Amino acid sequence: MTPDEREARDLVGLDPWGLRRVEKLLVGLDGVGSLKIVPDGQGGIDEIHVLSASDLGPKQIVRNIESALLAEFGLQIDHRKISIAQVRGPEIPVPQVEEAVSEPSRRILLEGMHIERAAGQKVTCRVELTDRGKAHTGEAHGPDFETARMEAAAAAVLDAIQQVTGPGVTLALQGVLKIQAFNGGFVIAVVNGTEGRETVSLSGIGKIHDSAEEAAVLACLKAVNRWIAER
């Protein structure tokens, strides 16, 4: 008998504490609910009885037990000494849920955007939106450099959205930021929305395709669309 085999024999057959260590290992395995280990009286294991409520198959549970005993204690056991009894859990009836019928999600859509340059390095930005088939146009002005144009585009789209929400809601641009990430350009917009005594901070991001100004408009739309739809 090798030293490892002797240690495994002593662990199971001669030391009650060692037997409890084996039980503790096995009950922690997937598929083992409760178990009983029967020593053979000669330092080995005669039988292992397992009660399982798992979806694992009996053969898989047996393999798990064999592998765990071998890896942890160097103990090899014949799979024929392991019996698995599976019990079926109580069947819980699935309640019948009526399918919810919801109205189409409300989304304000971008129809167009125009930037007009004027003397004195000034720009005017106009944004056309539609909400449930109705058109709204917003307008804003600013200096003719990129950050200011993005801010004017964002302010114009908020001006158009204010026509949708009415006087009960106030939208204020907190800022826009152009960033480079993942081999592309993006614009982040942050908008403060106020209704009654509640003020929320809304944010959105738009990918730059044609221009940073258009991305700023899309970012603002993404920031407020969900909030508007939930009101």
Side-chain angles (χ1 to χ4, degrees), residues 39-114:
D40 62 4
Q42 299 177 357
I45 293 177
D46 188 40
E47 296 174 344
I48 297 178
H49 300 281
V50 173
L51 188 63
S52 173
S54 170
D55 292 333
L56 288 178
K59 290 183 179 180
Q60 183 61 56
I61 298 173
V62 170
R63 286 195 291 268
N64 289 348
I65 292 172
E66 290 178 302
S67 299
L69 291 175
L70 183 61
E72 184 71 15
F73 303 118
L75 181 63
Q76 290 183 317
I77 183 169
D78 192 321
H79 66 87
R80 291 173 294 184
K81 294 184 177 183
I82 305 172
S83 64
I84 310 295
Q86 290 188 298
V87 295
R88 180 176 298 177
E91 294 185 359
I92 301 175
V94 179
Q96 298 295 322
V97 180
E98 295 184 1
E99 184 177 355
V101 179
S102 59
E103 296 181 357
S105 177
R106 178 183 183 182
R107 293 187 64 82
I108 302 171
L109 304 177
L110 174 65
E111 296 296 331
M113 184 192 73
H114 306 279

Side-chain angles (χ1 to χ4, degrees), residues 147-179:
T147 299
R149 290 196 303 270
M150 290 191 299
E151 292 174 347
V157 73
L158 294 182
D159 180 44
I161 295 174
Q162 284 280 190
Q163 300 168 32
V164 175
T165 61
V169 172
T170 301
L171 298 171
L173 180 67
Q174 186 170 334
V176 292
L177 177 66
K178 179 181 176 182
I179 64 171

Side-chain angles (χ1 to χ4, degrees), residues 8-9 22 26 41 45 60 76 85 95 97 113 120 144 163 166 183 192 219 230:
R9 182 204 64 183
V22 174
L26 297 186
I45 293 177
Q60 183 61 56
Q76 290 183 317
V97 180
M113 184 192 73
D144 190 5
Q163 300 168 32
N183 299 319
N192 287 335
E230 291 175 350

Side-chain angles (χ1 to χ4, degrees), residues 140-216:
H141 310 276
D144 190 5
F145 59 91
E146 187 176 64
T147 299
R149 290 196 303 270
M150 290 191 299
E151 292 174 347
V157 73
L158 294 182
D159 180 44
I161 295 174
Q162 284 280 190
Q163 300 168 32
V164 175
T165 61
V169 172
T170 301
L171 298 171
L173 180 67
Q174 186 170 334
V176 292
L177 177 66
K178 179 181 176 182
I179 64 171
Q180 294 291 325
F182 307 109
N183 299 319
F186 301 85
V187 174
I188 300 172
V190 179
V191 178
N192 287 335
T194 302
E195 183 177 23
R197 297 181 178 180
E198 179 188 13
T199 298
V200 295
S201 182
L202 310 167
S203 62
I205 185 168
K207 183 174 176 57
I208 299 175
H209 294 289
D210 296 328
S211 67
E213 294 83 5
E214 181 186 58

